[in-house]
Amino acid sequence: MSQVNRLQPKINPAAISGPPHLHRLAGKCFSMIESSYKYEFCPFHNITQHEQSFRWSAYSGILGIWQEWEIENNTFVGMWMKEGDSCATRNRQTKVLLTCGARHKLARVSEPSTCIYWLTFETPFVCHPQSLLVYPNLKEELQKRWNQAEQSLYDGLITQQGYKKLLKAIFEDAGYLKTGQEKIETEEQNQLQKEPLDRCIEERNKLSADVQKLKDILTRHNISTFLSVTEEIPPSTIPQTPVNKRQRGDLG
């Protein structure tokens, strides 16, 4: 059995969404070879990577499964493929950037950070200036909500941050964004931070116990653990500040 047939996705692809004219790409796949790797992009499904090698451990895996759009300035700018194969402490994910081209093809691939990939997909379907605008593709009800949000922002009834939250809710209801994505990402970050935090608390408790032991010893020998305000501090122990060097916050 080939490695391709052994690929096991973690989740199912999200529903097809976005500009209707791009829905025609569903069910098709496009590939390219770069640096001994073959990349295969199947819009609204997944993206895979296959090492072109005869090594017994040659890699074949999933770089991401279709999840949601990336939207900026009322424009669909990319398709996010997430929850790919495990890679260290995260799962592989890929953003597919859509650009105008004479034919459908994968043009470029890069890895700006570990386990996160960027692919550029050229297609004539996005050559029209308005082909990737979000607003025209929304249902009338969602367009009205967007209009109301615009008016509220103009009237000063909401802040820019509040306006962005309203737009995010509209995009989620339209199926363009995955609902609750922020919560999922926050849970993943908390999980990554949990182990270092536990170690920190454990070390703090040990240090607190050591400090208490020292205090008990000093108390048994009638030695105060705090310096009295009436006691004179030897001049040699007072840190000296150079005359020609001001400290932060010194207005003198």
Side-chain angles (χ1 to χ4, degrees), residues 34-57:
E34 182 171 308
S35 301
S36 75
Y37 285 97
K38 178 182 180 181
Y39 297 88
E40 188 169 53
F41 168 53
C42 303
F44 304 106
H45 186 61
N46 69 11
I47 184 163
T48 56
Q49 181 189 56
H50 312 282
E51 184 177 357
Q52 303 297 286
S53 170
F54 291 103
R55 296 188 305 114
W56 68 272
S57 59

Side-chain angles (χ1 to χ4, degrees), residues 95-250:
K95 180 167 74 171
V96 181
L97 303 171
L98 304 175
T99 61
C100 174
R103 60 188 181 88
H104 307 305
K105 71 170 184 177
L106 283 177
R108 289 176 297 278
V109 60
S110 63
E111 190 175 358
S113 59
T114 305
C115 308
I116 297 181
Y117 307 83
W118 283 17
L119 270 76
T120 300
F121 179 68
E122 295 181 356
T123 171
F125 289 172
V126 301
C127 291
H128 191 278
Q130 298 182 1
S131 59
L132 291 176
L133 292 181
V134 177
Y135 185 88
N137 292 289
L138 291 172
K139 294 181 179 179
E140 184 177 356
E141 176 191 355
L142 297 178
Q143 288 182 344
K144 289 181 178 179
R145 285 172 53 185
W146 194 334
N147 294 339
Q148 292 172 355
E150 289 275 0
Q151 187 63 46
S152 296
L153 179 63
Y154 179 80
D155 293 337
L157 300 178
I158 58 175
T159 63
Q160 188 69 34
Q161 183 178 2
Y163 172 72
K164 290 181 179 179
K165 288 183 178 180
L166 290 177
L167 287 190
K168 184 176 183 295
I170 292 173
F171 299 155
E172 289 179 346
D173 291 344
Y176 300 156
L177 299 181
K178 187 175 181 180
T179 304
Q181 185 63 29
E182 288 183 353
K183 180 179 179 181
I184 294 175
E185 292 176 351
T186 300
E187 290 176 350
E188 292 176 349
Q189 292 173 358
N190 290 341
Q191 185 63 31
L192 293 176
Q193 295 173 357
K194 183 177 180 180
E195 184 178 350
L197 179 60
D198 290 343
R199 288 202 304 268
C200 181
I201 294 175
E202 183 179 354
E203 291 298 324
R204 178 187 178 280
N205 292 337
K206 289 181 180 178
L207 291 174
S208 297
D210 292 339
V211 170
Q212 187 59 48
K213 289 179 181 179
L214 290 173
K215 287 183 177 181
D216 293 341
I217 293 173
L218 294 173
T219 300
R220 286 199 300 269
H221 290 80
N222 296 321
I223 300 175
S224 175
T225 57
F226 296 97
L227 185 64
S228 173
V229 293
T230 61
E231 294 178 346
E232 183 179 356
I233 301 176
S236 60
T237 64
I238 302 177
Q240 300 297 317
T241 301
V243 176
N244 61 348
K245 186 176 181 181
R246 296 180 179 177
Q247 298 298 302
R248 180 176 297 176
D250 182 11

